[in-house]
């Protein structure tokens, strides 16, 4: 195993080309360049998800250069930073439909199984304005499956109690797809070198860390001809997650359980050729998000009588519509007009208290032109007006009851320009420049963060100028990619501690001047009949230009990933996977941080007819590591899996 680890670390730095599968739901894709290929380093394919034993969307995203996943923490959820930008500021879509919660703009990516997807597209610098997103530039689109044959079947299960079932078929003008995921994960074990003197551990077992998830994604489609398509779909998430108590030295333990974390989404996609030169694309959706958080007095999880004892209930929903008219003004030019509206409602209360309502609408009007100047060169330019209107703002106070607060509104003009150049069939160069804006979330403006923060109703909008250049190439069996970026952010929102003299840990979200994020990514890969090797290195430097002492949270400066698969004899596949990252701060004043770490996973597999059998081990070296200070993650874990494809 040491030889395998050394071999992985010695690889040239890159990303293996991640090929699209035939089961991609193309109506769910949204591209800056509709007629050009996407950079492979910015995708995670279904093939790679299966090969690398990836179970959750958060695990898949960990292989995208420049993206840093954060797991665990006080909400026991998976988020990320993308080139320094927090996941709360990066919208997540499934087939172009927003998945993020109305209140705080986040979604727990550990609740979403990667097994239901055909691929993941990550727009790092600038996503299409036609999405209508509220973003500082990047976006992530999870693209589901669309069957091509009369019967398509995949099934997998492993000893970590994860399983997926994908069944689909296409019959003439109709198709249907059903994807089911299930996970029932027991309390995990920490590395053997971790101290066991905490009352919240049973030996090395991390108590109250279990989770249970049930996922469903189903769609039915009608394709009457070569140009039109209509799809109705439904996505369901049912989860129960336990939050293990804090084990660090810079805070106190809390005892919490989410007995329900539920999400439902119904959507409709359509594409209709109105005339030979006009096409209408539309999306409609209705999304609900319901969760219950129980907080207990102590580690017995039995009483809720003290200050820490309460039950919080969210019952949110969102309605949305998106329509785009595509006018093919010439064989080499498409002019697009887009309108987007999303109505968000947040309803919350603690048991025994009245329900407080928050609601707002976010809308946009966009014009975009894509010109294919020749076979090698394409240019896209777009401009849009984006607005936010607050409708209802209520606050509950135990002394005064429910009261109305003033609402607010804001608007911005965003723009994008991108140049795509293919000097040859195996080379691809893209330059992107954009201006984007992010309206402050409802939670950012009005939440007390369970007593940890002071609300800031006057929190302003962040604006960003993003510059990005990316290049990828291939020569015989060798591939490579490189990129550099610069983001200038004005009125950046950051946590500021020390705003309450009675408690130095209380913070407030404030607009803290100007910041710049800059960095680069590079890598290379090599592939033979018996070998696949790829690796990537990314560096992100973040600076607040007006308040230089403020630290950026959960955002390591450097990250390195490497993948090696050997196929020596008898159709065996010996695989090693390495993820390493540097130190990250956990508080804005720099008083707490997490150490840098590297983890190695390995597996041995063989395919027999249509069945793949595999044994593997996670965290081979049994390293102690954590993404959030005080929340260490699992130690060495063995597993076996079996999958079947028809």
């Amino acid at each position: 195993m040491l030889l395998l680890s050394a071999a992985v670390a010695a690889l040239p730095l890159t990303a293996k080309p991640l090929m699209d599968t035939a089961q991609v739901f193309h109506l769910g894709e949204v591209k800056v360049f509709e007629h050009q290929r996407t950079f492979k380093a910015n995708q995670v394919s279904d093939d790679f998800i299966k090969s690398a034993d990836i179970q959750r969307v958060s695990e898949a995203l960990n292989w995208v250069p420049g993206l840093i996943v954060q797991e665990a923490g006080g909400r026991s959820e998976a988020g990320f930073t993308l080139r320094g930008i927090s996941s709360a500021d990066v919208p997540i879509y499934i087939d172009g439909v927003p998945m993020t919660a109305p209140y705080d703009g986040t979604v727990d990516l550990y609740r979403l199984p990667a097994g239901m997807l055909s691929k993941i597209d990550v727009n790092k610098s600038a996503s299409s304005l036609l999405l209508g997103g509220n973003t500082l530039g990047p976006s992530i689109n999870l693209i589901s499956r669309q069957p091509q044959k009369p019967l398509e079947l995949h099934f997998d299960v492993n000893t970590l109690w994860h399983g997926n079932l994908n069944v689909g078929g296409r019959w003439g003008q109709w198709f249907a797809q059903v994807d089911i995921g299930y996970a029932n994960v027991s309390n995990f074990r920490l590395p053997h070198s971790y101290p066991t003197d905490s009352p919240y551990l049973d030996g090395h077992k991390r108590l109250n860390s279990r989770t249970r998830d049930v996922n469903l994604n189903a769609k039915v489609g009608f394709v009457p001809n070569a140009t039109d398509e209509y799809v109705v779909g439904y996505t369901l998430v049912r989860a129960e997650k336990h939050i293990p108590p804090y084990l660090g030295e810079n805070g106190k333990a809390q005892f919490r359980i989410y007995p329900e974390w539920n999400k439902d989404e119904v959507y409709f996609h359509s594409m209709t050729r109105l005339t030979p030169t006009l096409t209408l694309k539309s999306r409609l959706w209705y999304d609900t998000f319901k969760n219950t958080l129980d907080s207990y007095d102590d580690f017995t999880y039995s009483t809720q009588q003290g200050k820490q004892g309460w039950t919080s209930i969210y019952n949110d929903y969102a309605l949305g519509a998106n329509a785009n008219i595509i006018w093919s003004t010439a064989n080499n030019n498409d002019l697009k007009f887009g309108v987007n509206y999303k109505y968000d409602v947040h309803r919350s209360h603690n048991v025994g208290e009245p329900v407080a309502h928050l609601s707002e609408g976010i809308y946009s009007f966009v014009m975009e032109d894509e010109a294919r100047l020749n076979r090698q060169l394409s240019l896209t330019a777009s401009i849009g007006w984006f607005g936010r209107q607050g409708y209802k703002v209520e606050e509950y106070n135990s002394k005064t009851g429910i009261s109305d607060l003033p609402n607010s509104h804001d608007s911005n003009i965003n723009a994008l320009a991108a140049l795509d150049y293919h000097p040859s069939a195996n080379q691809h160069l893209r330059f992107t420049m954009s201006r984007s804006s992010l309206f402050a979330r409802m939670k950012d403006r009005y939440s007390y963060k369970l007593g940890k923060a002071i609300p800031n109703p006057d929190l302003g909008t962040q604006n960003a100028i993003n510059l990005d250049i990316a290049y990828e190439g291939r020569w015989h069996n060798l591939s490579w990619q490189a990129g550099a970026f610069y983001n200038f952010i004005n009125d950046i929102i950051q946590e500021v501690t020390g705003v309450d003299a009675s408690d130095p840990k209380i913070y407030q979200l404030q607009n803290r001047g100007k910041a710049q994020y800059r960095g680069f990514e590079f890598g290379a890969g090599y592939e033979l009949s018996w070998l696949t090797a790829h690796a990537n290195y990314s560096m992100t430097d973040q600076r607040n230009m007006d308040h230089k002492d403020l630290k950026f949270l959960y955002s390591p400066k450097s990250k390195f990933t490497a993948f090696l698969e050997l196929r020596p004899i008898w159709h065996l596949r010996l695989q090693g996977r390495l993820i390493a990252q540097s130190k990250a701060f956990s508080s804005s004043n720099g008083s707490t941080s997490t150490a840098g770490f590297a983890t190695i996973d390995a597996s041995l597999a063989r395919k027999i007819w249509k069945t793949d059998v595999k044994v593997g081990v996670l965290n081979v070296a049994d390293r102690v590591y954590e993404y959030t200070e005080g929340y260490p993650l699992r130690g060495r874990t063995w597993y076996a899996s079996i999958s079947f494809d028809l």
Side-chain angles (χ1 to χ4, degrees):
M1 190 57 64
L2 291 176
L3 291 176
L4 175 62
S5 303
V8 172
L11 292 175
L13 303 175
T14 196
K16 170 188 175 182
L18 302 177
M19 304 301 294
D20 290 350
T21 66
Q23 290 80 24
V24 172
F25 178 41
H26 292 289
L27 205 58
E29 296 182 285
V30 182
K31 300 178 181 178
V32 174
F33 286 94
E34 189 72 27
H35 299 273
Q36 300 292 336
R37 68 175 185 252
T38 303
F39 279 87
K40 299 305 179 182
N42 297 342
Q43 293 184 347
V44 185
S45 71
D46 171 60
D47 291 338
F48 185 79
I49 287 171
K50 292 176 181 176
S51 173
D53 298 324
I54 292 171
Q55 299 298 324
R56 318 306 292 181
V57 167
S58 56
E59 298 168 10
L61 289 173
N62 224 356
W63 289 91
V64 176
L67 192 149
I68 309 288
V69 168
Q70 299 117 26
E71 291 189 19
R75 289 167 47 149
S76 192
E77 66 182 16
F80 61 88
T81 60
L82 178 53
R83 290 179 167 178
I85 299 175
S86 167
S87 55
D89 302 335
V90 179
I92 308 292
Y93 302 88
I94 179 165
D95 297 328
V97 174
M99 280 289 288
T100 44
Y103 181 51
D104 58 10
T106 65
V107 61
D108 184 356
L109 294 173
Y110 200 79
R111 309 274 70 84
L112 305 179
M116 72 180 185
L117 304 176
S118 65
K119 67 174 181 176
I120 301 174
D121 279 342
V122 179
N123 294 303
K124 294 181 181 178
S125 178
S127 57
S128 173
L129 300 185
L130 296 170
L131 274 170
N134 189 21
T135 173
L136 282 178
S139 68
I140 294 175
N141 194 17
L142 314 177
I143 303 171
S144 62
R145 300 167 180 263
Q146 180 170 327
Q148 303 298 319
K149 299 183 294 186
L151 177 61
E152 296 175 1
L153 173 67
H154 170 83
F155 171 74
D156 66 76
V157 65
N158 64 34
T159 55
L160 301 177
W161 294 105
H162 288 273
N164 296 282
L165 174 64
N166 313 109
V167 183
R170 181 163 185 158
W171 316 277
Q173 296 177 326
W174 293 88
F175 69 84
Q177 178 73 38
V178 177
D179 304 300
I180 300 172
Y182 177 75
N184 191 359
V185 181
S186 59
N187 293 332
F188 63 81
R189 290 188 173 274
L190 296 175
H192 282 84
S193 60
Y194 196 87
T196 59
D197 53 354
S198 170
Y200 311 131
L201 298 176
D202 179 7
H204 287 95
K205 183 181 291 186
R206 186 72 157 107
L207 298 177
N208 205 53
S209 63
R210 62 187 184 273
T211 62
R212 183 179 62 85
D213 297 86
V214 177
N215 300 83
L216 170 68
N217 188 9
K219 67 169 71 72
V220 176
F222 176 58
V223 187
N225 52 53
T227 60
D228 299 353
E229 187 171 347
Y230 306 92
V231 178
V232 175
Y234 172 60
T235 299
L236 171 147
V237 180
R238 295 290 182 270
E240 174 188 346
K241 60 177 182 176
H242 294 232
I243 305 175
Y246 175 76
L247 294 180
E249 299 178 353
N250 298 288
K252 62 179 182 179
Q254 296 169 328
F255 312 103
R256 296 174 180 173
I257 296 172
Y258 283 91
E260 60 175 3
W261 193 101
N262 300 338
K263 196 168 183 63
D264 296 84
E265 192 165 70
V266 181
Y267 58 86
F268 170 74
H269 290 268
S270 74
M271 180 170 66
T272 306
R273 178 70 62 87
L274 303 175
T275 73
T277 60
L278 287 178
T279 299
L280 171 66
K281 286 186 176 181
S282 67
R283 296 184 179 91
L284 305 172
W285 66 90
Y286 173 65
D287 175 280
T288 66
F289 174 57
K290 300 178 181 179
N291 75 41
T292 301
L293 174 58
D294 291 331
S295 181
Y296 294 91
D297 298 323
D298 53 40
F299 194 52
T300 64
Y301 295 91
S302 59
T303 62
Q304 296 178 296
Q305 304 300 320
K307 187 177 180 180
Q308 284 200 128
W310 41 262
T311 294
S312 174
I313 298 174
Y314 285 5
N315 185 8
D316 299 353
Y317 72 89
L319 285 166
N322 175 284
N324 299 322
I325 289 285
I326 304 169
W327 179 22
S328 297
T329 60
N331 289 333
N332 59 356
N333 193 91
D334 290 336
L335 186 62
K336 305 174 184 179
F337 302 91
V339 59
N340 194 90
Y341 180 76
K342 185 168 181 275
Y343 176 62
D344 291 329
V345 175
H346 173 64
R347 298 173 293 195
S348 65
H349 71 287
N350 286 358
V351 170
E353 299 175 353
V355 177
H357 293 71
L358 296 172
S359 62
E360 67 178 17
I362 296 177
Y363 47 90
S364 63
F365 303 92
V366 175
M367 181 173 68
E368 178 176 287
D369 186 63
E370 180 183 349
R372 297 173 292 283
L373 305 178
N374 54 50
R375 297 184 64 180
Q376 296 176 311
L377 190 64
S378 296
L379 175 66
T380 294
S382 57
I383 188 168
W385 184 66
F386 290 71
R388 183 196 66 83
Q389 175 63 58
Y391 296 125
K392 192 173 189 62
V393 181
E394 292 182 338
E395 182 182 63
Y396 171 73
N397 184 288
S398 58
K399 296 180 180 179
T400 60
I402 293 287
S403 59
D404 290 320
L405 299 179
N407 59 31
S408 60
H409 63 88
D410 200 356
S411 62
N412 269 279
I413 294 177
N414 296 332
L416 178 148
L419 185 69
D420 214 49
Y421 180 52
H422 296 268
S424 70
N426 292 324
Q427 296 186 77
H428 186 188
L429 177 69
R430 179 175 294 168
F431 174 73
T432 307
M433 177 174 61
S434 68
R435 183 192 190 276
S436 56
S437 58
L438 178 72
F439 304 121
R441 309 283 184 186
M442 290 187 277
K443 183 176 182 178
D444 296 340
R445 295 194 300 271
Y446 302 114
S447 175
Y448 287 87
K449 306 290 179 68
L450 301 177
K452 297 179 181 179
I454 297 174
N456 186 358
D458 298 321
L459 200 60
T461 299
Q462 302 177 87
N463 300 289
I465 300 294
N466 305 312
L467 304 175
D468 176 74
I469 187 168
Y471 171 74
E472 68 177 3
R474 190 173 187 89
W475 183 73
H476 296 290
N477 299 320
L478 178 66
S479 61
W480 59 90
Q481 62 90 15
F485 65 92
Y486 177 84
N487 301 334
F488 176 81
I489 305 173
N490 194 33
D491 291 328
I492 188 170
I493 296 174
Q494 286 190 260
E495 290 185 9
V496 179
T497 55
V499 294
D500 186 339
S502 64
D503 188 344
K505 294 180 181 178
I506 296 292
Y507 68 88
Q508 185 181 56
L509 292 176
Q510 299 178 2
N511 296 104
R512 301 297 286 179
K514 301 176 178 62
Q516 63 178 10
Y517 300 174
R518 55 188 179 180
F520 60 86
E521 300 152 7
F522 63 90
Y526 196 71
E527 188 159 8
L528 297 170
S529 61
W530 57 273
L531 167 72
T532 298
H534 60 86
N536 281 281
Y537 175 78
S538 58
M539 189 280 289
T540 301
D541 179 58
Q542 298 172 269
R543 298 183 182 183
N544 189 311
M545 301 163 67
D546 294 332
H547 304 274
K548 300 185 186 303
D549 293 335
L550 281 177
K551 307 300 182 183
F552 292 86
L553 306 183
Y554 317 117
S555 186
K557 189 172 185 177
S558 299
K559 182 179 179 181
F560 174 77
T561 63
F563 176 93
L564 173 66
E565 183 175 277
L566 302 174
R567 299 175 287 274
I569 54 174
W570 303 325
H571 302 289
L572 292 173
R573 305 191 313 276
L574 178 62
Q575 192 178 110
R577 306 179 296 273
L578 169 70
I579 295 178
Q581 64 183 54
S582 59
K583 169 185 176 180
F585 290 104
S586 298
S587 61
S588 61
N589 60 8
S591 61
T592 58
S593 62
T594 58
F597 64 85
T599 61
I600 299 173
D601 303 334
S603 63
L604 177 65
R606 189 179 193 278
K607 193 162 188 176
I608 305 172
W609 189 53
K610 297 181 180 296
T611 303
D612 201 52
V613 180
K614 184 179 297 185
V615 293
V617 57
L618 306 176
N619 194 1
V620 172
D622 205 32
R623 288 288 306 273
V624 175
Y625 73 103
E626 54 189 11
Y627 291 102
T628 305
E629 189 268 333
Y631 294 91
L633 294 174
R634 69 171 67 236
R636 184 187 298 116
T637 305
W638 292 88
Y639 68 94
S641 69
I642 186 169
S643 65
F644 175 81
D645 288 277
L646 180 64

